[in-house]
Amino acid sequence: MLQQFGFTQYESQVYEALITIDEALDATAIVKRSGVPRSKVYDVLRRMSEKGMVLESTTEKKRLYAPLPLESAIKKLQRDFNENITQLKTIQSREKKADDRVWTLKEEQSIHSLVSELLHLSSSSIIFSGWSDDIEQHLSILEEKEAEGISVEIHTIGKIHSNLKNVTTLIPDTDHQKLERSRIVVIDHHEILFAGIEESNWQAIHTKSKPLVTFFTEFFYHDIALTEITRKFGSTMMEDPHIRDVLLKLRY
């Protein structure tokens, strides 16, 4: 048990030899009871004394040793453990090297599971763009996160029914040519997941690369702005054949 608290095997054997007999012992008796080699016992006793686990006394030029009482030893170990935990909490974590690797992921359910995991891990903000049926699968965690004070911004293609505060809704035009299914998730302005359909199969990238996080964040707000402009001025813009042609080619 003592070895679990950082004591060596020999130190544990010496303490056990002392605590299991109701009298002080000299080094010779400790060697016999503990099995610690004579060549090592004085060094072990010195360390145990420094750790406060062994008491020392000299009687008639004879050095005697006694254990710290068991209850006292237990309380000491508890205090030492708690102090170590307190000290550990104050240690500043070393700055980690930025991870700018880009990871790829395939298969719709795997992508869905990763999106869910990222949403659960968010601590300050969530940006989520996608089709309404995709977003609705995550509404409970999105609403829970917003209730916790986390900023949640949604851009949805198609209506969703929720109590979320910041939702921008795009109602697709039937003539849209490039309106493809996709998802953008930006967590804490720190990492992103972008998923889209390639040859009828979902594929995604996941990264903490700052340039890509910035790009997809700006892409999200581009979609927000374009959706609001279309909502307010769409009928006027659609009267211009050139603008209408450009709008219908956008992927937003």
Side-chain angles (χ1 to χ4, degrees):
M1 182 191 70
L2 288 179
Q3 291 180 58
Q4 301 297 319
F5 289 90
F7 292 87
T8 68
Q9 180 177 338
Y10 284 166
E11 290 170 347
S12 302
Q13 289 173 217
V14 164
Y15 185 79
E16 183 179 5
L18 290 170
I19 202 68
T20 53
I21 189 170
D22 190 23
E23 62 178 289
L25 301 177
D26 60 14
T28 300
I30 292 172
V31 169
K32 292 178 180 179
R33 285 186 58 83
S34 68
V36 174
R38 180 176 292 275
S39 61
K40 301 286 186 180
V41 73
Y42 287 104
D43 186 46
V44 172
L45 287 166
R46 176 185 57 79
R47 293 200 306 269
M48 290 294 280
S49 177
E50 291 175 351
K51 293 179 179 181
M53 293 292 288
V54 167
L55 291 74
E56 300 181 29
S57 179
T58 302
T59 304
E60 298 178 354
K61 298 183 179 181
K62 193 174 186 179
R63 197 72 165 172
L64 298 176
Y65 303 89
L68 182 67
L70 188 57
E71 287 300 321
S72 298
I74 291 172
K75 291 179 180 179
K76 167 190 161 47
L77 294 175
Q78 288 176 327
R79 285 195 302 270
D80 289 348
F81 179 80
N82 290 331
E83 288 175 3
N84 288 337
I85 292 296
T86 300
Q87 185 177 357
L88 185 61
K89 289 180 179 178
T90 65
I91 296 176
Q92 296 293 324
S93 60
R94 296 180 181 179
E95 183 177 350
K96 294 182 179 179
K97 184 179 179 181
D99 182 1
D100 59 358
R101 291 172 292 186
V102 178
W103 302 91
T104 60
L105 180 64
K106 299 180 180 180
E107 206 276 319
E108 183 174 4
Q109 289 304 316
S110 296
I111 294 169
H112 174 85
S113 296
L114 182 55
V115 169
S116 180
E117 176 69 12
L118 292 175
L119 295 177
H120 277 87
L121 292 174
S122 63
S123 60
S124 60
S125 67
I126 296 171
I127 288 173
F128 195 163
S129 175
W131 289 62
S132 56
D133 56 342
D134 290 334
I135 293 175
E136 284 176 341
Q137 296 181 66
H138 302 283
L139 273 182
S140 59
I141 181 61
L142 290 169
E143 292 173 347
E144 179 182 323
K145 287 292 184 176
E146 186 172 80
E148 293 174 2
I150 291 173
S151 170
V152 177
E153 296 180 85
I154 303 295
H155 179 259
T156 172
I157 299 175
K159 291 184 179 180
I160 61 172
H161 302 283
S162 80
N163 297 318
L164 294 170
K165 300 175 184 177
N166 299 312
V167 178
T168 302
T169 303
L170 170 67
I171 304 300
D173 189 289
T174 55
D175 294 326
H176 265 115
Q177 301 171 20
K178 294 289 185 179
L179 197 58
E180 299 177 353
R181 294 184 71 90
S182 63
R183 302 168 194 165
I184 296 174
V185 181
V186 185
I187 302 298
D188 300 337
H189 298 290
H190 177 65
E191 61 183 307
I192 65 101
L193 180 143
F194 171 73
I197 295 179
E198 187 76 23
E199 298 180 353
S200 302
N201 296 313
W202 279 96
Q203 299 192 41
I205 62 170
H206 173 224
T207 184
K208 296 179 182 178
S209 168
K210 289 184 178 179
L212 288 176
V213 171
T214 299
F215 172 80
F216 281 103
T217 301
E218 292 179 353
F219 194 87
F220 172 85
Y221 287 116
H222 158 273
D223 285 355
I224 295 284
L226 197 54
T227 296
E228 290 296 339
I229 291 170
T230 302
R231 183 177 64 83
K232 293 181 179 180
F233 307 108
S235 58
T236 302
M237 293 189 296
M238 287 299 184
E239 293 176 359
D240 186 309
H242 176 67
I243 295 177
R244 183 178 188 278
D245 183 58
V246 171
L247 288 174
L248 293 178
K249 289 179 180 178
L250 294 176
R251 302 169 69 95
Y252 72 120

